[in-house]
Amino acid sequence: MVYQAPHSLPVRPSDDGAAAPASRPDPAALVGLIRTWGQVLGFQQVGIADCDLSQAETHLAHWLAAGLHGEMAYMARHGERRSRPAALVPGTRSVISVRMDYLPEPPAAMHAALADPTTAFISRYALGRDYHKVLRRRLARLAARIAAHIGPFGHRVFVDSAPVLEKPLAQKAGLGWIGKHSNLIHPRAGSFFFLGEIYCDLALPPDAPGRDHCGRCQACIAICPTAAIVAPYVVDARRCISYLTIEHPGPIPAALRPLLGNRIYGCDDCQLVCPWNRHGRTSTEPDFQPRHGLDTASLIALFGWDEAEFLARTEGSSIRRIGHQRWLRNLAVALGNAPPTPPVRSALLARQRHPSELVREHVDWALRHLAAAVGGAPRADPSV
Ligand code: SF4
């Protein structure tokens, strides 16, 4: 069914089982209802985009051609299905784009965690429950609410899970603009939010796209610890700490390791420095509140988790997908960047004979880095 004009709306059964016409709001009225239902479901903003992503398609093609996606081969794999919604879901005519704020604590607490080299810094989006599940469930309810009102319609829900250009779609839907750090920014809400989409076969009136307000600011480019924003609006994933600690499966390039500091899962620096986040609101969503004290956990404590504990404590969290080896790899680097105290060194020595070559190599690097910090050579594991 395609929602275009009242005469094309479906017929749905009435309460007594007889066929009765569905409600027939005009498209603009339906969008108004979708916004209201979305807000009731906990989305802070709902917008509508059409399916023309030709500008974003060109930007993506250049980014891929330059190899800036690193080992994220899936970014190149789906060709035009990523930038042409109707190629991914035939019949798609509009995209409902939603925003859900997630920041669980004020920026001051993030600065404090980053400033303490013995504390593990985890990107704030990952402290709570896996957002994919939370948003997908709410989007499915929003789609069901629409169907209850107009009758069945063709749609598919996405949350960062398929070849979807969610940020360009959100910009087109008026949810904000893509900043020079490549994240979406809303002028009042900042950028600490998740996005989700409903591709649908309804012809809904699109919102006005968000306008760029970065101006001459370069703060995110200057602050990036690894200089990953190689030009305004261009991020080299191969240098980006989020990519290196989450997506990248192999060894972290040695030259970049000291620059990671205590960031063990993702990085928020470019968002934290952004002036548009100065007044960003915190979320009261229970699912996004920190679990297991991950907002203030020490590097040594997290490095001590064995695989069973890692799996248990990251159940229902997006962190789980990196697996225990990458978790230890990242923590080893952070410990190598920590103050060279006896407890830090002991924690690393305890993992020196870990069965994973990946972990062992990063532990050895960390011990050498600590030794260099105190001006000596690393000592051998006393247990060997
Ligand atoms: S820090 Fe400045 S340049 Fe970067 S996204 Fe924010 S406003 Fe734009």
Side-chain angles (χ1 to χ4, degrees):
M1 194 291 297
V2 173
Y3 181 77
Q4 188 172 22
H7 68 264
S8 67
L9 281 167
V11 170
R12 64 179 181 187
S14 64
D15 290 341
D16 62 5
S23 304
R24 295 183 176 184
D26 65 32
L30 179 59
V31 169
L33 288 170
I34 293 171
R35 287 194 219 282
T36 304
W37 297 329
Q39 279 170 8
V40 170
L41 285 166
F43 297 118
Q44 276 73 39
Q45 202 179 356
V46 179
I48 308 296
D50 63 36
C51 298
D52 177 12
L53 291 173
S54 44
Q55 261 191 316
E57 185 176 278
T58 305
H59 184 80
L60 175 64
H62 288 147
W63 188 71
L64 290 171
L68 301 183
H69 57 302
E71 291 176 67
M72 294 185 287
Y74 61 86
M75 290 297 296
R77 203 175 294 140
H78 298 279
E80 290 175 349
R81 293 203 302 157
R82 186 175 293 277
S83 51
R84 300 187 185 183
L88 182 66
V89 182
T92 299
R93 303 182 74 177
S94 306
V95 176
I96 301 169
S97 176
V98 301
R99 179 191 112 217
M100 190 178 274
D101 299 342
Y102 65 73
L103 199 61
E105 61 186 13
M110 299 164 71
H111 284 295
L114 275 172
D116 179 355
T118 64
T119 294
F121 185 85
I122 294 174
S123 189
R124 271 26 200 167
Y125 81 84
L127 291 176
R129 193 168 284 281
D130 188 344
Y131 67 97
H132 297 90
K133 294 176 191 164
V134 177
L135 263 77
R136 201 177 298 124
R137 218 176 302 131
R138 306 267 180 102
L139 282 169
R141 286 170 64 190
L142 179 58
R145 187 71 189 81
I146 298 168
H149 193 72
I150 64 166
F153 69 106
H155 69 277
R156 210 170 135 192
V157 163
F158 295 104
V159 181
D160 193 21
S161 57
V164 167
L165 289 182
E166 60 173 10
K167 293 177 208 172
L169 282 168
Q171 177 162 17
K172 290 210 76 173
L175 269 56
W177 78 96
I178 298 174
K180 291 178 186 172
H181 51 20
S182 88
N183 295 297
L184 199 82
I185 308 171
H186 184 279
R188 282 188 305 282
S191 61
F192 292 106
F193 51 76
F194 299 121
L195 296 170
E197 302 79 30
I198 302 176
Y199 279 27
C200 66
D201 61 4
L202 310 176
L204 301 171
D207 284 287
R211 284 182 39 229
D212 191 327
H213 294 289
C214 280
R216 286 191 289 182
C217 177
Q218 305 258 354
C220 54
I221 298 172
I223 199 82
C224 178
T226 52
I229 309 174
V230 292
Y233 312 100
V234 182
V235 174
D236 184 345
R238 298 166 301 180
R239 299 187 67 85
C240 174
I241 293 175
S242 286
Y243 168 79
L244 292 169
T245 55
I246 301 172
E247 306 287 343
H248 179 57
I252 294 172
L256 297 180
R257 293 178 194 178
L259 308 178
L260 267 57
N262 59 344
R263 299 165 189 81
I264 63 153
Y265 188 97
C267 173
D268 287 336
D269 288 38
C270 62
Q271 298 191 82
L272 204 45
V273 76
C274 180
W276 296 98
N277 274 322
R278 213 175 287 146
H279 306 296
R281 282 162 294 188
T282 52
S283 167
T284 54
E285 188 68 46
D287 282 334
F288 299 152
Q289 301 312 305
R291 305 167 91 204
H292 305 297
L294 283 173
D295 53 335
T296 53
S298 80
L299 294 169
I300 290 177
L302 299 186
F303 198 57
W305 287 0
D306 61 18
E307 186 161 17
E309 190 167 7
F310 171 79
L311 292 174
R313 290 186 182 255
T314 57
E315 190 164 5
S317 152
S318 54
I319 295 174
R320 203 179 211 216
R321 72 189 181 100
I322 69 169
H324 189 232
Q325 276 185 36
R326 276 189 225 177
W327 176 252
L328 292 181
R329 174 198 66 181
N330 299 346
L331 280 156
V333 171
L335 284 166
N337 294 329
T341 61
V344 167
R345 194 167 174 280
S346 297
L348 286 162
L349 289 172
R351 294 281 188 201
Q352 213 174 13
R353 291 198 288 175
H354 191 276
S356 158
E357 163 63 23
L358 182 73
V359 174
R360 286 198 308 273
E361 189 272 316
H362 284 75
V363 166
D364 287 345
W365 174 86
L367 287 166
R368 286 198 307 277
H369 201 247
L370 288 177
V374 292
R379 278 178 286 155
D381 178 351
S383 67
V384 175

